[in-house]
């Protein structure tokens, strides 16, 4: 039998729509550019990814979580540098009105869309922050921004967390939340969108220890992606040679998506840039007093890990997507080989036929499993077709209740990846799922 990985993004986009993972935003109105809605299976998968991240970060004695507001005081973005620096150089084509990032195209070549020659405007800096107005009067004093990163919500709460949780360095603050960027060239499905979710952790450290912290967190974050089932040969570190104005070292974790290698996570040594600027703009003392070192006062350095939840989900889906060719066209299948604990649906309960006695047993089993797991219950169509549907959404186990079940009080458990079938007694199904699939 041969198998094939995901070949192009269009296959995944179609699969996600057909099977209820991801829909285009406002689709019945023709859609809204580069905004996507999580469908019933997408939201389960995304929540599972967020939960593993949250646990891996906050089930540590040195990291606390927070959930800060999306709207923040406008001066935050002055202090962070976003108002002055969060820009991309942009050119417009005067002929087709297409808009491009000046650093991504050859400005001496014809327009990539309409092929017009010498049609580009001069590059202009375009701020990527979305702005809106707070309060009923639309005057400039009330302009606020949708946060372009979650990190600033952590920096402005540094003192609150440190004092209320009685933290000593090093310690971290973790957060999951929405971020918004008015990207000039969004695309590649959910890889680059204008509204997305980030999972960020800022680790506050003593100046001078940033390289040690960098090595520590590079390893932790790499291991996390591997634990999610991503294949190691599809992952790599990329060192930044050009550093952002606030960083003194930076690595990305890249994944080989269907459209090529792309950043999934950034691990940045941000020095004391953010806290120092917030101290200056807010006039609040954000220094740390090191009681272990003669009450020395300093502004902590920060080691940041920042991963896009949606990009991570795209990697998990791209990695899991497989087409299998057993040599018999009838048996060809698409299977999403999610790590079972990430799968949107953990088990499908399938009464072989719509008969009250079979359904009675099946419903009882379902009620018991649903206490712990998201399950599906399906009575429609041949059992083969029902297995295929579960393969396509990545359900690790199908539990078939047949006529023998009425006699032996057992079900057939069919495994997604191997298609092997085993008979397991009803009272052992739950522990079997837990043990075999590490659920
Ligand atoms: P890129 O170079 O791809 O625009 P970036 O370097 O600006 O990304 P960061 O500011 O470091 O990204 O953001 C951290 C993470 O947030 C990224 O690694 C990515 O996973 C995610 N992210 C950033 N921008 C977007 C976006 N427009 N859509 C989806 N995810 C994003």
């Amino acid at each position: 039998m041969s198998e094939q990985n995901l070949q192009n993004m269009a296959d995944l986009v179609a699969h996600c729509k057909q099977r209820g993972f991801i829909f285009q935003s406002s689709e019945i109105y023709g859609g809204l550019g580069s905004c996507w809605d999580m469908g019933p299976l997408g939201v389960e998968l995304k929540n599972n990814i967020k939960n593993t991240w949250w646990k891996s970060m906050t089930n540590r004695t040195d990291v606390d979580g927070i959930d800060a507001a999306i709207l923040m005081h406008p001066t935050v973005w002055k202090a962070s540098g976003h108002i002055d620096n969060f820009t991309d150089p942009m050119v417009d084509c005067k002929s087709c009105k297409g808009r491009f990032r000046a650093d991504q195209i050859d400005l001496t070549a014809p327009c990539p869309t309409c092929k017009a020659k010498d049609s580009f405007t001069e590059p202009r800096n375009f701020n990527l922050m979305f702005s809106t107005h707070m309060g009923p009067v639309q005057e400039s004093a009330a302009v606020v921004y949708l946060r372009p990163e979650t990190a600033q919500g952590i920096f402005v709460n540094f003192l609150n967390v440190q004092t209320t949780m009685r933290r000593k360095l090093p310690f971290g603050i973790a957060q999951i939340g929405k971020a918004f960027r008015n990207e000039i060239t969004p695309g590649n499905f959910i890889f680059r969108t204008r509204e997305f979710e980030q999972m960020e952790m800022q680790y506050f450290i003593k100046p001078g220890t940033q390289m040690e912290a960098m090595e520590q967190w590079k390893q932790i974050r790499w291991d996390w992606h591997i634990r999610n089932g991503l294949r190691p040969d599809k992952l790599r570190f990329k060192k930044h040679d050009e550093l952002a104005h606030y960083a003194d070292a930076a690595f990305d974790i890249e994944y080989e998506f269907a459209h090529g290698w792309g950043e999934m996570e950034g691990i940045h040594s941000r020095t004391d840039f953010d806290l120092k600027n917030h101290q200056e703009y807010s006039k609040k003392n954000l220094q740390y007093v090191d009681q272990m070192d003669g009450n020395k006062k300093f502004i902590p350095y920060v080691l940041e890990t920042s991963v896009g939840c949606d990009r991570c989900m795209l990697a998990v889906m791209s990695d899991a997507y497989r087409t299998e060719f057993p040599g018999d066209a009838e048996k060809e299948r698409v299977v999403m080989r999610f790590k079972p604990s990430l799968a949107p649906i953990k088990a499908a309960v399938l009464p072989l036929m719509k008969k009250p006695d079979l359904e009675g047993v099946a419903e009882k089993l379902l009620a018991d499993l649903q206490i712990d797991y998201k399950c599906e219950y399906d009575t429609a169509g041949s059992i083969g077709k029902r297995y295929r549907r579960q393969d396509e959404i990545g359900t690790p186990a199908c539990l078939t209740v047949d006529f023998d079940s009425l006699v032996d009080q057992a079900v057939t458990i069919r495994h997604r990846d191997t298609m092997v079938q085993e008979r397991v007694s009803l009272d052992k199904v739950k522990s079997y799922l837990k043990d075999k699939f590490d659920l």
Side-chain angles (χ1 to χ4, degrees), residues 361-372:
V361 175
E363 280 166 12
K364 201 158 159 270
L365 175 62
L366 177 71
D368 183 35
L369 293 177
Q370 282 190 145
I371 296 170
D372 295 301

Side-chain angles (χ1 to χ4, degrees), residues 331-372:
K331 295 197 175 127
E332 252 178 54
R333 64 170 187 157
V334 168
V335 52
M336 294 293 264
R337 290 208 186 154
F338 295 126
K339 179 182 175 177
S341 57
L342 290 186
I345 309 290
K346 303 297 188 240
V349 178
L350 312 172
L352 192 60
M353 296 175 84
K354 271 193 179 169
K355 296 267 190 221
D357 39 359
L358 294 187
E359 292 213 71
V361 175
E363 280 166 12
K364 201 158 159 270
L365 175 62
L366 177 71
D368 183 35
L369 293 177
Q370 282 190 145
I371 296 170
D372 295 301

Side-chain angles (χ1 to χ4, degrees), residues 181 183 191-193 196 198 263-265 306 308 311:
R181 294 181 189 179
E183 301 276 5
F191 179 82
R192 188 183 305 284
T193 53
F196 55 98
Q198 289 185 313
E263 169 183 342
M264 184 161 53
E265 169 152 7
S306 174
R311 273 192 202 176

Side-chain angles (χ1 to χ4, degrees), residues 14 16 36 72 76 91 98 105 147 164 166-167 174 192 242 263 272 274 284 292 331 336 354 369 400 406 415 430:
C16 281
W36 299 90
M72 302 181 73
V76 167
V91 292
I105 58 166
R147 65 181 176 199
T164 55
R166 296 172 297 128
R167 288 290 178 197
R192 188 183 305 284
E242 274 179 40
E263 169 183 342
D272 57 1
D274 303 273
K284 292 281 176 318
M292 318 291 277
K331 295 197 175 127
M336 294 293 264
K354 271 193 179 169
L369 293 177
T400 307
L406 303 175
H415 291 241
K430 213 171 193 175

